[in-house]
Amino acid sequence: MKQTDKLILFYKLIKNQADQEEVSLADKLLSESSENKDIYGEIEQMISATEKITKTIPKFDKDQLKHKIFAEIKTDEIPESTNGKIIFMYLRRAAYVAASLLLVFFAVNLYSNWQARSIKLAFNGKREISNLPDQTSIILDKNAEIAYGKYFNKDKREVYLDGTAYFNVSKNKEKPFIIHIDNLTVKVLGTSFVIAKHQNRVDISVYTGIVNLTSENGQSINLLKSQSASFNTDSEVLTKTNSNVSENNDLRAEFMNFQSDDVKDVLKRIEDFYNITIRIECDNISEMKGFTSPQYTGNDVQFYFSTLNKLYNLQFTLVAPDKFVVRCN
Amino acid sequence: MEEDKLIELFKDQPAEGLSRLFDKYIDYLSAEVFFILKDEDDTQDVIQDLFMTLWKNKEHLSNINTSIKSYLRKAAINKSLNLIRSRKQYLDIDDNIDLEEGYNHATMLETAELGTLLNQTIDNLPPKCRQIFVLSRYEEMSYKEISESLGVSVKTVENQISKALKILRIIVKKKIGVNIV
């Protein structure tokens, strides 16, 4: 890709103007080389440094300009219609009433929309793994709660989170995945990350992909793979941090904690976790069940391939970067 | 005077209301317009046109759903863009920007803060390049919006922005001590 095109792509990404395909492409470029990351960092620095710009007030004669304007206005032609005023006043009142009724209607509709699919998980004080209707996997920490409406996955995928959770969002270029927590909005394409809620802050750490964070007061930053940020809920300040992404591995580890799972599901979870593709060339894969793994401790993908090979005689072959084929012997 | 009172005054006593609006917002609006056009005469023309339009549409002012300050600013920006487009200043011809200029500029002002350096560099970009970059960076317009507003192709917008980024990147790299290749 030409240097010029990269500059434009990264610039659009930082300014949150990239479409889903462009976000995907940027993610790929940033994973490919550190040179691309450097370019991204330089543009990010440039954008940040030019945030405060002084706009000069021009020095023309403002009184003279004002006189020019009023000279053009013929003030003796100002219309004065008392009847018109009264009628307009009543029409305005009627408009306010209609607008209020409409507002109430929408509020009720919105409430019933969210009530229809509000789910509360992990209320019993344990962690839980669950899938949303779009196959996004979530691990909710103890006493966390997530809610989504009945139109989830129609045009977009939008959820409300209270608490701490790990997300592995299924890829869908057409439908952005949006999480609301406190006064922060988290927007992703297809990625994995942790949102951790503390007393007066929300921490976000990204494992794969790109995540956009936007606060209600308009601050917006992008997090790339292995980057973290913190949102102070008191001051509503959003900052990138140097916190180690692996600090949140404890929750993420649950994702790779297999307990008597079907091998087909295990392979899917491995694909999502390690951001790879596994093509299955084994007719009886659906019959392979009961896979239990040791606790995840930062194992690489070969650990799981080796274990599956020993237990089920499955052969994994690398056919292209991050693409594998699995065959039964 | 508060905004809603100003709007009421403008409805009840239009001439007095317009005068107050002018006094309150002239500095702000002229700075916004001058930032794009970089010409005092053009800025005056746009401001004059803006207030004349406001006078002609005074009945509709109470229908706006933003603050009057935002409304006036948006109208001022639109009129600035109309002026640029009406002069057909833009053809799909690239400017030749001297990237060495960016390097020299960075060398000359080495002790300045990065933000100051970048802002001065933006100010010194060629006019077309500067205007397009400013609309993108500070008015948050998309490439499509800029291309439609100025009557140029999206490709022209992309080219001008990438040229601006190339120069500004030189400044950043020089400041953070990276060897420029």
Side-chain angles (χ1 to χ4, degrees), chain A residues 11 42 47 50 66 72, chain B residues 19 23 48 136-138 169:
Chain A
Y11 175 70
E42 284 154 18
I47 297 277
T50 54
K66 192 177 181 183
E72 273 198 57
Chain B
S19 174
D23 293 338
Q48 183 174 348
S136 166
R137 172 70 186 91
Y138 296 106
R169 209 177 136 227

Side-chain angles (χ1 to χ4, degrees), chain A residues 55-329:
Chain A
K55 292 178 182 172
T56 317
I57 300 170
K59 289 182 175 47
F60 57 78
D61 188 334
K62 296 177 181 73
D63 285 334
Q64 197 176 56
L65 178 60
K66 192 177 181 183
H67 285 132
K68 258 176 99 174
I69 290 168
F70 279 86
E72 273 198 57
I73 294 167
K74 294 171 185 174
T75 55
D76 57 356
E77 287 177 8
I78 298 171
E80 197 69 41
S81 162
T82 313
N83 287 342
K85 272 190 182 171
I86 291 171
I87 290 167
F88 180 70
M89 192 177 74
Y90 280 116
L91 282 175
R92 198 163 63 176
R93 280 188 192 163
Y96 282 145
V97 170
S100 306
L101 286 172
L102 212 58
L103 205 65
V104 167
F105 171 76
F106 277 122
V108 167
N109 202 26
L110 197 70
Y111 180 75
S112 68
N113 174 23
W114 282 101
Q115 281 295 85
R117 289 288 185 274
S118 180
I119 56 171
K120 189 172 179 174
L121 299 181
F123 59 90
N124 53 5
K126 292 182 193 167
R127 283 178 181 163
E128 290 204 25
I129 298 177
S130 187
N131 282 342
L132 297 179
D134 67 332
Q135 300 311 306
T136 287
S137 315
I138 51 174
I139 303 171
L140 291 176
D141 206 357
K142 310 171 186 91
N143 301 318
E145 179 178 341
I146 197 161
Y148 58 95
K150 66 183 176 190
Y151 297 118
F152 176 84
N153 211 24
K154 197 173 178 216
D155 298 318
K156 55 184 175 184
R157 302 173 283 170
E158 200 163 8
V159 302
Y160 283 77
L161 172 68
D162 185 17
T164 295
Y166 167 76
F167 289 81
N168 198 313
V169 174
S170 64
K171 289 185 171 66
N172 188 330
K173 282 183 192 177
E174 313 302 320
K175 298 176 193 174
F177 193 97
I178 300 165
I179 302 152
H180 300 281
I181 178 165
D182 286 338
N183 283 344
L184 186 68
T185 300
V186 182
K187 186 174 166 185
V188 304
L189 178 60
T191 181
S192 61
F193 55 95
V194 163
I195 300 179
K197 182 172 162 123
H198 305 282
Q199 193 173 355
N200 62 350
R201 74 176 201 278
V202 176
D203 292 340
I204 305 97
S205 299
V206 175
Y207 295 95
T208 59
I210 299 176
V211 168
N212 171 263
L213 309 173
T214 306
S215 65
E216 263 199 16
N217 59 18
Q219 295 169 88
S220 179
I221 59 174
N222 287 331
L223 291 183
L224 311 180
K225 179 179 163 181
S226 302
Q227 289 187 336
S228 302
S230 190
F231 177 66
N232 186 306
T233 49
D234 292 333
S235 62
E236 295 204 358
V237 170
L238 181 61
T239 43
K240 273 193 185 171
T241 60
N242 291 326
S243 60
N244 191 350
V245 162
S246 66
E247 275 171 16
N248 288 308
N249 260 348
D250 183 34
L251 194 65
R252 192 175 184 231
E254 298 277 347
F255 196 70
M256 296 301 278
N257 185 16
F258 300 106
Q259 300 286 337
S260 238
D261 287 309
D262 294 349
V263 169
K264 209 168 168 192
D265 294 338
V266 170
L267 292 177
K268 175 78 179 65
R269 196 97 62 91
I270 289 173
E271 274 187 318
D272 290 344
F273 192 80
Y274 292 105
N275 212 20
I276 58 175
T277 311
I278 303 174
R279 191 173 78 236
I280 301 174
E281 289 181 2
C282 175
D283 290 338
N284 57 334
I285 195 91
S286 307
E287 293 162 24
M288 298 179 190
K289 296 174 189 291
F291 179 74
T292 299
S293 71
Q295 185 72 22
Y296 173 79
T297 51
N299 311 316
D300 68 11
V301 70
Q302 291 302 333
F303 168 79
Y304 292 97
F305 286 171
S306 164
T307 309
L308 287 162
N309 173 256
K310 281 182 196 147
L311 295 175
Y312 301 95
N313 229 1
L314 291 170
Q315 202 70 35
F316 292 87
T317 310
L318 180 70
V319 296
D322 294 332
K323 287 186 187 349
F324 296 85
V325 168
V326 61
R327 297 181 180 95
C328 357
N329 280 339

Side-chain angles (χ1 to χ4, degrees), chain B residues 45-73:
Chain B
D45 288 343
V46 165
I47 297 292
Q48 183 174 348
D49 188 24
L50 172 68
F51 278 91
M52 287 313 301
T53 306
L54 186 64
W55 174 260
K56 285 173 192 158
N57 296 324
K58 53 185 169 301
E59 289 84 18
H60 305 296
L61 202 63
S62 48
N63 299 336
I64 61 171
N65 53 10
T66 60
S67 69
I68 187 147
K69 186 178 177 184
S70 304
Y71 173 82
L72 287 172
R73 181 181 176 277

